């Protein structure tokens, strides 16, 4: 009991009384770090060493959004139920099953001395922030350890067809999967990214250009944090980091730029395991016999009105990985190509320091990343790699689905080398794009042939966003940086351009047979027929199209079982097909239902899109704050990425609210021009700070909603000229 009490002491007291030598080191390191905040509050962090810059980055993250940094670590430690009660036990159990804390500790211990030093600097930066800000609430954590920055849950098998119900049979929740059914498919389409690279021949300036454009949730631990890191050891990288992490994930240096997109290059697999031994429940079938599973028990705490209670969970794992779900009498395990985050972090760090294509490829050859990578540099090179950490497998199996775990035929055979992955370097098209889409159309006619590769290297569909990017890149000549910005914010909805004419044709055929329909839907049909398929704040047609789309999502959710994975061929025509995959009667019924829904909600179907589609900042997930129509918000003309909007903006209807508010989509947009002096512009969806009292809480939202970017300053003289605050951590 005394130990628990000590752990709950305010960290400032514990640190000053228990670790005087340590706090002295933090203060000394803080003096080696200079943070310059520009006019948008973006921190430009200068240190003598790489570790100094990392110290400053995590300190700055604490200043801007400590609440979410702490929440992210708590979640990955599997301690959310200690904050939010029994409802979070499933999530915590999933982390305990994955042994996220043990994996992170091992990753830190196995790391090189330079890597461990960076982890230590990151923890020190957060701890020094708490030391110098005793007024900041400590909800659960009072001290950060170096391994905390390496916490990682990994995938939960959703893309391989595992359902929430199958996880719940074992008392487990999800851990980063996109959910199920229409909601899950929509999340998968929105939770991705766009990336475009232009070679000098496709650039009006004769310099390479790169678009960085992640699509993720606006709230929670996926938030993008813009920063610029500089050290005297060769570090000079600007872009975004994830909260609680110390490296620039996507960004640029003076000579290189890179971006990541989510991939369906298969980096994890689900196995069907039969624990059918008549006498020993720890034995699972393998080959002609059995193997013994590892079993253990963890006791997890959860908050109640009368104090913490505890519940024991029994876990097991096979040689493939942890048992994460139950399907009938069969158990399902998952194996991930990057089970710990140490390799990912070190590879990402090396990429942020690469000055040439050769150095960048050397980092990629570590093969730790679970993503695609787009690249451009000042020497005129552009490149794309589809996936990175991808196991070699027997191509006879369909690896999208769970495979038989009892046979050696489904064992991995090492990892593919970098040159074996689907990739392109300086294609004849002079451009590359990926919008969570197939790499076999990444460069138009200059793309690689799918027949050359195993299917599991690219299960990705051709998304409507990719179709729109291809249409624009193939139709235009050389682009300026501003032209690439316009492409990034393109509101054209290629899904409706493909499908809506079929809906209207169905209406005309049916109206010929049922003249009464003209009185009901003629004005709606006329409005949609005149539409240019571009979403806009003042567009009523956009709202009508959205209403049809909601009905369509409900229809396919009923049409398919929730266990159909997003990448399954059966669902592809319904999400990405260029022909509307429903009969005329259904298409028309959806139009009638959508129009009726608008009339019921607003009293009329004639509603401007900007009156419905809004951007509002609330506190991060876990709080009680909700979106509200009576709070300030901005109209946004963008649309969901699943419909082909390159400017992806996903909203969530709130019960009792007339408006819908953005919850995901474009979070960081940057256009980088790699000339003799690198130039970049960027924007985030809200602002740099999560403090409602900060001038940088919502200051970039006007740019974001107006399809504009700000300057992303890179050279110190520019940063100093526009500095609004210069200080050492702790001042």
């Amino acid at each position: 009991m005394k130990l628990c009490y000590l752990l709950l002491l305010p960290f400032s007291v514990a640190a000053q009384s228990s670790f005087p030598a340590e706090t002295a080191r933090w203060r000394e390191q803080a003096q080696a770090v200079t943070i310059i905040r520009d006019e948008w509050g973006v921190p430009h962090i200068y240190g003598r060493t790489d570790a100094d810059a990392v110290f400053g980055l995590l300190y700055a993250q604490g200043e801007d959004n400590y609440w979410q940094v702490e929440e992210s670590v708590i979640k990955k430690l599997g301690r959310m139920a200690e904050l939010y009660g029994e409802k979070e036990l499933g999530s915590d159990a999933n982390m305990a099953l994955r042994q996220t804390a043990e994996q992170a500790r091992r990753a830190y211990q196995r790391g090189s001395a330079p890597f461990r030093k960076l982890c230590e600097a990151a923890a020190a930066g957060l701890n020094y922030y708490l030391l110098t800000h005793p007024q900041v609430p400590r909800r659960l954590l009072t001290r950060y350890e170096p391994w905390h920055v390496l916490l990682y849950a990994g995938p939960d098998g959703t893309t391989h067809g595992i359902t929430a119900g199958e996880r719940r049979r074992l008392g487990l929740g999800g851990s980063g999967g996109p959910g199920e059914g229409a909601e899950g498919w929509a999340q998968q389409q929105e939770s991705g990214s766009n990336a475009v690279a232009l070679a000098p021949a496709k650039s009006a300036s004769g310099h390479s250009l790169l678009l960085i454009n992640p699509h993720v949730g606006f709230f929670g631990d996926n938030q993008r944090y813009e920063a610029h890191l500089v050290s005297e050891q060769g570090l000079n990288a600007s872009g975004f980091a994830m909260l609680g992490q110390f490296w620039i994930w996507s960004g640029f240096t003076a000579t290189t730029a890179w971006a990541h997109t989510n991939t369906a290059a298969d980096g994890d697999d689900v196995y069907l395991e039969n624990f059918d031994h008549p006498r020993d429940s720890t034995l699972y079938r393998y080959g002609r016999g059995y193997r013994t599973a590892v079993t253990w028990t963890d006791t997890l705490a959860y908050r109640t009105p009368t104090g913490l209670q505890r519940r024991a969970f029994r876990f097991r794992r096979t040689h493939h990985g942890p048992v994460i779900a139950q399907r009938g009498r069969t158990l399902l395990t998952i194996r991930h190509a990057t089970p710990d985050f140490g390799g990912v972090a070190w590879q990402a760090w090396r990429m942020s320091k690469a000055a040439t294509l050769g150095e960048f490829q050397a980092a990629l050859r570590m093969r730790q990343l679970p993503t695609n990578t787009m690249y451009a540099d000042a020497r005129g090179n552009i490149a794309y790699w589809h996936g990175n950490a991808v196991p070699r497998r027997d191509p006879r199996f369909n690896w999208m689905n769970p495979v038989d775990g009892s046979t050696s035929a489904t064992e991995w055979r090492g990892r593919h080398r970098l040159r074996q992955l689907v990739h392109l370097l300086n294609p004849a098209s002079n451009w590359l794009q990926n919008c969570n889409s197939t790499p076999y159309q990444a460069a138009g006619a200059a793309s690689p042939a799918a027949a050359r590769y195993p299917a599991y290297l690219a299960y990705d569909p051709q998304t409507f966003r990719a179709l729109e990017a291809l249409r624009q890149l193939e139709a235009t000549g050389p682009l300026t940086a501003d032209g690439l910005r316009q492409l990034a914010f393109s509101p054209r909805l290629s899904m409706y351009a493909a499908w809506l004419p079929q809906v209207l044709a169905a209406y005309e055929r049916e109206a010929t047979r049922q003249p009464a329909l003209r009185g009901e839907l003629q004005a709606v049909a006329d409005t949609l027929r005149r539409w240019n398929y571009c979403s806009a704040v003042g567009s009523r047609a956009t709202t009508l199209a959205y209403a049809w789309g909601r009905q369509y999502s409900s229809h396919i959710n009923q049409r398919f079982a929730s266990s159909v994975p997003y990448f399954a061929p059966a669902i592809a025509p319904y999400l990405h097909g260029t022909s509307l995959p429903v009969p005329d009667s259904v298409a028309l019924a959806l139009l009638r239902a959508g129009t009726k829904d608008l009339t019921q909600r607003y009293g009329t179907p004639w509603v401007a899109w900007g009156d419905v589609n809004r951007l509002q900042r609330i506190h991060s997930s876990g709080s009680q704050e909700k979106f509200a129509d009576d709070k300030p918000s901005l109209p946004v003309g963008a649309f969901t990425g699943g419909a082909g909007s390159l400017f992806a903006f996903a909203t969530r209807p709130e019960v009792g609210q007339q408006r819908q508010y953005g919850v995901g989509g474009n979070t960081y947009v940057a256009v980088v021009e790699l000339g003799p002096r690198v130039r970049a512009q960027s924007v985030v969806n809200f602002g740099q700070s999560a403090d409602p009292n900060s001038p940088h809480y919502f200051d970039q939202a006007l740019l974001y909603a107006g399809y504009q970017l700000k300057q992303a300053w890179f050279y110190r003289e520019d940063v100093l000229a526009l500095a609004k605050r210069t200080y050492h951590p702790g001042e």
Side-chain angles (χ1 to χ4, degrees):
M1 198 70 171
K2 183 180 292 185
L3 177 60
C4 294
Y5 174 75
L6 288 172
L7 289 174
L8 293 172
L9 283 172
F11 178 76
S12 58
V13 175
Q16 291 180 53
S17 60
S18 303
F19 309 107
E22 187 174 50
T23 56
R25 289 197 299 272
W26 295 342
R27 289 192 177 97
E28 181 180 359
Q29 188 164 27
Q31 291 304 302
V33 179
T34 300
I35 301 176
I36 304 175
R37 297 275 186 170
D38 66 21
E39 72 269 43
W40 298 98
V42 175
H44 301 260
I45 301 163
Y46 298 84
R48 286 198 294 263
T49 67
D50 289 352
D52 293 339
V54 165
F55 180 99
L57 173 63
L58 271 294
Y59 180 92
Q61 289 185 16
E63 288 184 299
D64 286 332
N65 199 348
Y66 176 73
W67 190 97
Q68 188 59 62
V69 171
E70 183 191 32
E71 180 103 341
S72 298
V73 176
I74 290 170
K75 179 180 178 181
K76 294 169 189 174
L77 284 170
R79 298 181 63 187
M80 290 286 279
E82 294 178 49
L83 285 182
Y84 300 117
E86 189 175 12
K87 65 179 182 175
E88 293 292 341
L89 270 178
S91 172
D92 289 354
N94 197 46
M95 299 299 170
L97 170 66
R98 306 297 186 87
Q99 299 178 300
T100 54
E102 291 83 352
Q103 292 277 16
R105 287 191 188 97
R106 283 197 292 268
Y108 168 69
Q109 292 164 357
R110 287 196 299 259
S112 65
F115 176 67
R116 292 197 303 271
K117 192 168 186 178
L118 296 176
C119 296
E120 291 155 8
L126 279 174
N127 289 330
Y128 190 60
Y129 170 75
L130 290 178
L131 177 71
T132 55
H133 292 77
Q135 75 282 5
V136 171
R138 283 78 161 154
R139 292 177 297 152
L140 192 61
L141 300 180
T142 58
R143 177 182 174 82
Y144 290 86
E145 300 296 336
W147 54 269
H148 282 171
V149 297
L150 304 178
L151 289 164
Y152 178 56
D156 63 6
T158 304
T159 56
H160 290 268
I162 291 180
T163 69
E166 290 169 338
R167 289 192 298 271
R168 282 195 295 269
R169 290 185 189 125
L170 298 180
L172 303 175
S175 65
E180 301 170 41
E183 179 183 357
W185 300 324
Q187 289 177 20
Q188 188 77 26
Q189 289 176 295
E190 303 306 325
S191 299
S193 305
N194 299 332
V196 176
L198 304 182
K202 184 67 174 178
S203 167
S205 67
H207 304 144
S208 300
L209 291 167
L210 185 77
L211 167 66
I212 307 170
N213 181 203
H215 299 165
V216 293
F218 291 173
F219 307 98
D221 54 8
N222 272 327
Q223 294 175 59
R224 274 35 182 165
Y225 183 81
E226 187 171 7
H228 179 198
L229 306 182
V230 185
S231 81
E232 295 173 17
Q233 292 182 320
L235 175 67
N236 192 357
S238 182
F240 72 80
M242 262 75 91
L243 288 169
Q245 296 176 359
F246 63 77
W247 55 91
I248 297 298
W249 180 247
S250 294
F252 60 96
T253 71
T255 55
T256 62
W258 70 100
H260 300 294
T261 59
N262 287 357
T263 187
D266 198 356
D268 57 275
D269 286 317
V270 171
Y271 292 86
L272 301 166
E273 313 278 18
N274 290 309
F275 285 77
D276 60 358
H277 193 277
R279 294 182 302 278
D280 191 340
S281 63
T282 68
L283 298 181
Y284 62 99
R285 187 175 294 278
Y286 193 79
R288 296 182 178 180
Y290 290 88
R291 288 189 175 186
T292 304
V294 176
T295 62
W296 73 99
T297 300
D298 265 350
T299 300
L300 305 179
Y302 61 98
R303 184 178 180 178
T304 73
T306 58
L308 288 180
Q309 300 292 325
R310 288 170 174 79
R311 184 175 302 169
F313 287 81
R314 182 76 170 168
F315 300 123
R316 54 183 150 179
R317 65 185 301 125
T318 72
H319 70 286
H320 292 126
V323 175
I324 63 170
Q326 182 173 351
R327 179 173 296 174
R329 300 179 66 181
T330 302
L331 299 181
L332 295 94
T333 58
I334 191 166
R335 187 179 184 190
H336 189 36
T338 51
D340 71 59
F341 217 48
V344 175
W346 185 235
Q347 179 173 336
W349 180 263
R350 286 185 56 188
M351 290 162 66
S352 73
K353 293 193 70 173
T356 65
L357 174 61
E359 292 176 3
F360 196 84
Q361 287 178 304
L364 283 176
R365 279 193 284 270
M366 293 176 64
R367 295 170 295 157
Q368 298 290 316
L369 300 183
T371 60
N372 306 320
T373 303
M374 189 74 72
Y375 171 88
D377 67 30
R379 296 184 180 181
N381 296 302
I382 62 172
Y384 175 72
W385 295 268
H386 197 76
N388 187 244
V390 184
R392 292 178 62 245
R393 308 167 169 96
D394 187 330
R396 295 175 298 172
F397 292 91
N398 180 356
W399 295 92
M400 278 192 296
N401 298 325
V403 295
D404 184 359
S406 69
T407 172
S408 60
T410 59
E411 298 295 350
W412 293 352
R413 304 166 183 176
R415 292 186 190 176
H416 281 277
R417 296 182 179 181
L418 189 66
R419 60 179 173 79
Q420 295 173 326
L421 302 176
V422 187
H423 65 282
L424 300 98
L425 174 63
N426 296 327
S429 62
N430 292 306
W431 52 262
L432 288 161
Q433 64 79 31
N434 182 263
C435 301
N436 310 119
S437 48
T438 174
Y440 304 125
Q441 296 187 46
S447 303
R452 293 173 49 198
Y453 300 94
Y456 61 76
L457 285 181
Y459 284 133
D460 316 69
Q462 180 63 336
T463 63
F464 281 113
R465 279 184 284 123
L467 285 175
E468 183 57 26
L470 283 167
R471 187 188 71 85
Q472 295 200 34
L473 289 167
E474 290 175 337
T476 58
L479 290 172
T480 63
D482 192 61
L484 189 53
R485 174 194 65 81
Q486 292 178 44
L487 183 149
F489 284 112
S490 173
R492 188 174 184 275
L493 309 179
S494 49
M495 185 188 82
Y496 287 104
W499 289 0
L500 197 55
Q502 299 175 63
V503 178
L504 296 175
Y507 161 74
E508 291 296 340
R509 285 190 291 269
E510 195 62 29
T512 301
R513 292 190 291 267
Q514 301 182 51
L517 275 178
R518 297 199 181 276
E520 179 185 353
L521 292 176
Q522 187 65 49
V524 170
D526 289 343
T527 299
L528 291 172
R529 193 174 288 108
R530 292 191 297 266
W531 188 35
N532 63 358
Y533 309 118
C534 292
S535 61
V537 165
S539 170
R540 295 175 175 179
T542 304
T543 311
L544 289 168
Y546 174 78
W548 182 91
R550 285 191 67 192
Q551 299 299 321
Y552 176 77
S553 293
S554 297
H555 170 75
I556 62 170
N557 197 32
Q558 296 168 10
R559 169 82 167 72
F560 288 94
S562 63
S563 60
V564 175
Y566 173 74
F567 299 117
I571 195 65
Y574 292 84
L575 299 179
H576 317 292
T578 54
S579 295
L580 180 62
V582 297
D584 286 1
S585 59
V586 172
L588 184 58
L590 299 178
L591 183 61
R592 297 179 76 178
T595 303
K596 181 180 179 180
D597 182 60
L598 286 177
T599 303
Q600 289 175 340
R601 291 181 65 190
Y602 302 106
T604 175
W606 311 114
V607 185
W609 183 233
D611 291 339
V612 176
N613 204 53
R614 311 289 292 192
L615 181 66
Q616 184 177 93
R617 187 167 194 175
I618 60 173
H619 192 44
S620 296
S621 61
S623 72
Q624 298 302 309
E625 187 179 6
K626 304 295 183 184
F627 294 117
D629 290 344
D630 59 356
K631 295 179 181 178
S633 64
L634 292 174
V636 178
F639 206 87
T640 60
S645 179
L646 291 170
F647 181 3
F649 187 79
T651 60
R652 182 181 67 212
E654 291 281 4
V655 176
Q657 305 291 346
Q658 291 289 89
R659 293 170 166 175
Q660 298 177 185
Y661 299 93
V663 294
N666 281 20
T667 46
Y668 172 87
V669 185
V671 174
V672 184
E673 183 173 355
L674 292 149
R677 284 175 62 88
V678 65
R679 298 195 306 172
Q681 294 181 301
S682 64
V683 73
V684 296
N685 54 307
F686 293 135
Q688 193 69 24
S689 174
D691 179 2
N693 297 315
S694 168
H696 306 301
Y697 179 72
F698 205 58
D699 59 336
Q700 294 187 50
L702 278 170
L703 294 176
Y704 178 89
Y707 305 170
Q708 298 300 314
L709 302 174
K710 61 176 178 57
Q711 293 296 321
W713 306 111
F714 186 77
Y715 296 99
R716 185 153 187 165
E717 58 268 27
D718 296 326
V719 174
L720 289 172
L722 294 155
K724 296 299 180 183
R725 184 184 173 208
T726 301
Y727 60 102
H728 300 297
E731 294 179 350

